[in-house]
Amino acid sequence: MSLEAFTHSEPLTLGVELELQLVNTHDYDLAPYAEDMLRLMHKVPLPGSVVPEMTNSMIEISTGICHSASEVLGQLSPIRDALVKSADKLNIAVVGGGTHPFQQWHERRIYDKPRFQELSQLYGYLSKQFTIFGQHVHIGCPDADAALLMLHRMSRYIPHFIALSASSPYVQGQDTAFDSARLNSVFAFPLSGRAPFALTWDDFTAYFNKMARTGVVKSMKDFYWDIRPKPEFGTIEIRVFDTPLTIERAAALAGFVQSLGAWFLAEQPFMPQEDDYLVYTYNRFQACRFGMDAVYVDPATGSHMPLRDHIRMTMDQIAGHAAQQGASNALHMLCNEAEAGQNDARWLRERQREEQLLAEVSRRAALRFRG
Amino acid sequence: MNEILSFWAQWLRPSAGLPTVQWSLLLAVAAMAGYLCQRHTGLPKVVGYSLVGTAAGLAGFSGAVWPLQGIGLFLLELGISIVLFECGGRIPLRWFRHNPMVLVQSIAESALTYFAVYWVLVWLDMPAHVAGPLALVALAASPAVLTRVVADTRAAGPVTERAIVLATLSTLYALTLGSARAEQINRQSITLLDTMYPVVVVLGVSIIVAAVLSLVLRMALRFMSPTSENTSMLLLALIAAATAVAAHMGGSAPLAALLGGMLLKQLNPRPWAWPRQLGNASSLLTMLMFVLVSTVAAQADWSGPVAGVVLALIAVRLVAKAVGVGLGNVGSGASWRQALWVGCAMTPMSSIALLIASQFVVASPSTGHLIARVALPAILLMEVLGAVIATVAIYRAGESSKPWAPLSRGGNGDRSES
């Protein structure tokens, strides 16, 4: 199987996917209602799409092609409202967050779709442990080479994305001490982590062909990288975000990605190096573990600084581009929360400290998602 | 059997009395039978409990008297109350606002069941004053059997949830109307006031007890965690007290518990975590309930003509419930296939039907005898057969978290006993 051609897309256009939890309203455990939700949502005319995910307590919504964060929010809002209405009809609730705080992985059931069944056969229990919920952001790139350049530039900001979106502190009923424990589950998959350092589409195609020849991969879908090219859309897809608790935060994160992309394209601020990846895993770990309190090691200089300082510094750098993309409000919101050390993981922990009941934390998160 | 028991009574004089020993041993056998039944056939444990109770009843076990009274009646009511309290808590009233078709579905299946069973029994030459109460007995699906089947198959999903809710609502109607009808059974002239008065009394007293129960629990939950063992014990103790008081004051203990659960869910929308904590005490009570029901039901007078009526009642009830669920399914958010499995999952009849039948027998022994002659075999059959049908429905709906396979062959038997 060969790599498909990189389709043309309008630069800096956005597409957002959100994986969401379906929970019952009795004890707020995950509930296998994906098929029912899809049936009800199918009747409602909406932008974007609603599709099943790996296990049948999950659902994925996505926007169509958007030009700004506010358009993302404009598309996510009616989808969210329709989801909430369908969930009310079925007596369930829809919740954001990167993990369900207390679900037991062995109780999950794989959604009845050939690809998911195949993955379940291959990965065994890992596929059920993959009941985790992420946000994916696609950003349009001018051409294939520009896409790879943007991918490796964007890699420097993976810790920023992780800390700002982290919403998975609890796994299997326990506080993991991580702000984003979700990414640890992704790491179990053999083709996860960073993409290979290829800055031209020819080099990348050569890599893909070698991998395909080994029989390990058949398509780009088999790579679980943090950022991967999506040739059929003409985008790169950033996959490290936990699903936030609100669609407003999801749209703001898309705005942040778009502003960074605009900065890269307009100013070509730096050239990515293979050596950038020397600190990649360390920075990624810091952001997952400590969230806003993480330490960031600058790959270019090797200097250490609080991640939240680097987030503020970055946002100052790209403020002009954010204004051009209509993302100033989004960046302002994220920046304020970063300064306060606030993210969704902290919100969840605060609720648990008050309530001492993870099911109640899920209920409160479900109320928050309703907007 | 009686000779053996009388010899045993003379030979053994235990401190807690012979009935305690008899019941303890019967429950021990039932526990083993339930386990083996699940392990070797994949059927829920409740089938094993019921078969042991049936065997004991047919063999003339004297530990359970009919009509139910005293401690036997209290234990049955307590078992039902605990199950119904939990089921009541699964019914958030806001759901009916968002999806009124579920309520329509419930009323459709209950009304259709009542009238279909009534008409068929009258057509089979059953007197109207017997057919009416029997139709009320047939109305009640069994949330008790259903929740045990769900626990054993570790099921979750739309069919499971809706079947539990519809079974609970049918129980609500059956308890209210059954208790009220039992009050009227001996009255000659029936005016509208005569008809309404007992309904109002049963409902009124049950609502008052339910309100007190839910308010006390609401208060306790302000400072107690629902996951605490002590909260579970508090819950069990309060339900026991409410059970004893409600029946004494002219209400219905199970109805009070059911309404209490619904009210508490309204007052306290926080998640219900305690069913996982209730643990072995409530499981033992539930097992006792199933053994008691089948032991008593097996003591019915069996005869050929009665068997025909019983089978007709069961068949009509099964069809009526399935059709009723189907009729109300339009616009309720469920598929037709799911409606079929919901209808099947609602076939079990058990303790609540027995309790209602018992009320009729106590209220009027002569009419009650005619009612019990048909009701008891029907209850016995549908406790076992209904559990099997409900299990098949849940598996076929794809809502069990493990495949249907005898655990000994599946190689994961120990894990299912968590």
Side-chain angles (χ1 to χ4, degrees):
Chain A
M1 179 122 0
S2 61
L3 183 61
E4 55 197 298
F6 195 88
T7 311
H8 173 76
S9 72
E10 192 183 333
L12 302 179
T13 46
L14 288 170
V16 171
E17 298 161 6
L18 288 178
E19 292 160 346
L20 295 163
Q21 310 177 25
L22 304 177
V23 298
N24 71 50
T25 57
H26 182 60
D27 60 10
Y28 284 82
D29 199 353
L30 284 176
Y33 276 79
E35 205 175 321
D36 300 77
M37 284 294 279
L38 290 171
R39 193 176 55 245
L40 293 185
M41 292 294 287
H42 187 64
K43 297 174 184 167
V44 190
L46 288 168
S49 65
V50 185
V51 294
E53 251 300 326
M54 181 72 95
T55 61
N56 58 11
S57 308
M58 311 169 74
I59 206 162
E60 182 182 288
I61 61 172
S62 55
T63 64
I65 299 169
C66 300
H67 295 84
S68 65
S70 57
E71 196 181 346
V72 168
L73 186 59
Q75 291 202 12
L76 287 179
S77 297
I79 302 175
R80 185 267 317 270
D81 294 344
L83 274 178
V84 166
K85 198 173 171 193
S86 299
D88 282 343
K89 188 163 189 174
L90 295 169
N91 192 27
I92 58 171
V94 184
V95 196
T99 52
H100 182 279
F102 60 92
Q103 63 103 6
Q104 299 296 316
W105 65 265
H106 60 86
E107 290 176 358
R108 304 283 66 85
R109 301 201 285 269
I110 301 296
Y111 190 90
D112 191 13
K113 191 176 159 186
R115 176 167 167 79
F116 297 148
Q117 296 294 348
E118 276 170 31
L119 291 174
S120 175
Q121 289 293 319
L122 176 62
Y123 291 118
Y125 87 116
L126 288 182
S127 52
K128 288 190 180 180
Q129 291 202 330
F130 208 52
T131 306
I132 48 175
F133 308 86
Q135 172 182 353
H136 302 168
V137 177
H138 290 262
I139 179 158
C141 303
D143 56 60
D145 288 349
L148 290 171
L149 200 54
M150 188 176 299
L151 185 156
H152 292 291
R153 281 182 173 139
M154 210 60 96
S155 288
R156 287 196 183 184
Y157 299 90
I158 286 292
H160 306 53
F161 299 154
I162 292 172
L164 286 167
S165 70
S167 61
S168 52
Y170 297 101
V171 174
Q172 311 266 308
Q174 302 298 322
D175 190 335
T176 59
F178 280 67
D179 268 21
S180 173
R182 164 183 161 271
L183 284 171
N184 295 330
S185 299
V186 183
F187 245 156
F189 285 81
L191 299 169
S192 61
R194 49 158 286 202
F197 192 75
L199 289 180
T200 65
W201 195 247
D202 288 342
D203 287 351
F204 185 78
T205 305
Y207 168 83
F208 180 89
N209 290 340
K210 277 195 281 182
M211 285 298 285
R213 204 164 46 243
T214 64
V216 173
V217 296
K218 290 192 180 74
S219 74
M220 282 302 297
K221 278 186 180 175
D222 295 318
F223 292 112
Y224 291 85
W225 295 329
D226 294 343
I227 313 181
R228 70 182 179 192
K230 191 81 174 172
E232 66 265 42
F233 291 169
T235 63
I236 60 166
E237 180 188 11
I238 300 158
R239 300 156 48 85
V240 291
F241 302 100
D242 282 359
T243 298
L245 297 176
T246 61
I247 56 169
E248 287 76 13
R249 196 174 185 90
L253 290 166
F256 181 34
V257 171
Q258 191 188 34
S259 305
L260 278 171
W263 180 48
F264 296 156
L265 291 184
E267 297 185 23
Q268 305 289 329
F270 58 89
M271 272 308 282
Q273 309 289 329
E274 171 76 61
D275 280 1
D276 287 355
Y277 288 101
L278 291 174
V279 291
Y280 181 84
T281 315
Y282 179 79
N283 278 340
R284 191 180 187 275
F285 162 77
Q286 279 280 327
C288 287
R289 171 68 179 83
F290 299 107
M292 288 299 173
D293 297 326
V295 168
Y296 179 73
V297 183
D298 190 310
T301 63
S303 63
H304 290 221
M305 69 172 79
L307 177 60
R308 69 172 83 177
D309 289 352
H310 201 267
I311 288 174
R312 192 184 56 239
M313 203 178 82
T314 305
M315 288 189 177
D316 288 344
Q317 273 175 315
I318 63 173
H321 299 282
Q324 280 175 8
Q325 302 301 324
S328 294
N329 287 343
L331 257 62
H332 191 63
M333 177 191 116
L334 293 176
C335 198
N336 283 347
E337 295 204 352
E339 297 244 307
Q342 187 68 42
N343 61 10
D344 284 343
R346 183 163 160 186
W347 186 90
L348 290 164
R349 282 200 173 99
E350 283 169 356
R351 296 295 82 74
Q352 171 63 359
R353 204 160 32 246
E354 288 165 14
E355 304 294 344
Q356 295 297 310
L357 183 65
L358 286 173
E360 174 63 6
V361 174
S362 275
R363 188 181 77 88
R364 300 278 291 271
L367 291 174
R368 200 161 179 225
F369 181 79
R370 295 175 77 96
Chain B
M1 179 85 173
N2 285 336
E3 289 80 19
I4 298 170
L5 290 177
S6 102
F7 168 74
W8 194 12
Q10 288 170 10
W11 176 72
L12 180 71
R13 295 189 185 283
S15 57
L18 191 60
T20 310
V21 179
Q22 290 171 345
W23 267 107
S24 302
L25 293 177
L26 187 61
L27 290 180
V29 174
M32 282 192 286
Y35 172 80
L36 292 172
C37 179
Q38 192 186 30
R39 183 180 172 93
H40 293 292
T41 68
L43 289 170
K45 297 186 204 96
V46 60
V47 172
Y49 306 157
S50 302
L51 289 176
V52 168
T54 306
L58 290 175
F61 179 69
S62 57
V65 287
W66 176 256
L68 292 168
Q69 52 193 279
I71 192 74
L73 176 63
F74 174 74
L75 286 175
L76 182 71
E77 285 187 331
L78 181 58
I80 297 172
S81 297
I82 291 168
V83 172
L84 288 184
F85 182 82
E86 212 265 305
C87 289
R90 282 177 176 266
I91 304 181
L93 298 180
R94 62 184 284 279
W95 189 23
F96 302 135
R97 186 158 46 84
H98 293 297
N99 191 354
M101 283 312 292
V102 175
L103 206 51
V104 172
Q105 194 171 29
S106 159
I107 292 167
E109 72 83 14
S110 292
L112 198 63
T113 305
Y114 177 83
F115 288 114
V117 170
Y118 178 78
W119 283 327
V120 165
L121 292 179
V122 169
W123 182 67
L124 289 170
D125 291 333
M126 191 72 69
H129 69 283
V130 177
L134 276 172
L136 282 175
V137 170
L139 188 64
S142 176
V145 172
L146 200 52
T147 49
R148 293 317 301 170
V149 169
V150 167
D152 285 354
T153 54
R154 281 187 262 152
V159 169
T160 305
E161 290 299 322
R162 191 163 298 197
I164 291 175
V165 167
L166 293 184
T168 308
L169 287 174
S170 75
T171 300
L172 176 72
Y173 313 141
L175 282 171
T176 310
L177 298 173
S179 304
R181 185 78 185 86
E183 285 289 314
Q184 295 169 336
I185 203 161
N186 286 320
R187 298 189 192 177
Q188 297 302 317
S189 65
I190 299 289
T191 63
L192 182 65
L193 190 67
D194 288 338
T195 311
M196 292 306 295
Y197 180 71
V199 177
V200 171
V201 170
V202 170
L203 259 181
V205 171
S206 303
I207 288 172
I208 291 168
V209 174
V212 173
L213 177 65
S214 55
L215 283 172
V216 173
L217 277 169
R218 174 74 190 90
M219 233 157 47
L221 286 169
R222 283 185 190 279
F223 56 90
M224 288 178 82
S225 163
T227 55
S228 157
E229 198 180 12
N230 285 55
T231 311
S232 300
M233 290 192 280
L234 174 79
L235 173 72
L236 284 176
L238 286 178
I239 291 177
T243 301
V245 168
H248 180 70
M249 288 168 61
S252 161
L255 188 60
L258 196 165
L259 293 170
M262 287 171 78
L263 276 173
L264 185 59
K265 182 70 179 175
Q266 280 303 109
L267 296 171
N268 179 48
R270 285 162 59 94
W272 283 38
W274 54 53
R276 292 180 186 188
Q277 305 300 321
L278 284 177
N280 292 342
S282 98
S283 297
L284 181 66
L285 252 178
T286 317
M287 182 178 76
L288 170 69
M289 184 171 78
F290 287 118
V291 175
L292 182 66
V293 169
S294 48
T295 306
V296 169
Q299 293 171 15
D301 300 326
W302 296 83
S303 68
V306 168
V309 177
V310 168
L311 291 176
L313 181 148
I314 289 172
V316 171
R317 179 179 177 273
L318 211 151
V319 173
K321 287 223 174 271
V323 172
V325 169
L327 281 177
N329 195 54
V330 183
S332 74
S335 68
W336 290 107
R337 188 171 163 272
Q338 287 174 327
L340 172 71
W341 298 129
V342 169
C344 291
M346 289 182 65
T347 53
M349 242 196 317
S350 182
S351 42
I352 291 146
L354 187 80
L355 193 67
I356 296 169
S358 179
Q359 284 176 325
F360 286 120
V361 177
V362 171
S364 168
S366 55
T367 311
H369 172 70
L370 295 172
I371 296 168
R373 217 160 56 125
V374 177
L376 293 188
I379 291 167
L380 184 62
L381 266 174
M382 289 317 286
E383 186 172 70
V384 178
L385 198 59
V388 175
I389 295 172
T391 308
V392 172
I394 281 170
Y395 277 118
R396 297 291 295 166
E399 297 195 356
S400 161
S401 64
K402 63 190 179 82
W404 177 301
L407 301 179
S408 54
R409 290 197 292 276
N412 55 354
D414 291 335
R415 277 185 287 155
S416 78
E417 282 295 306
S418 56

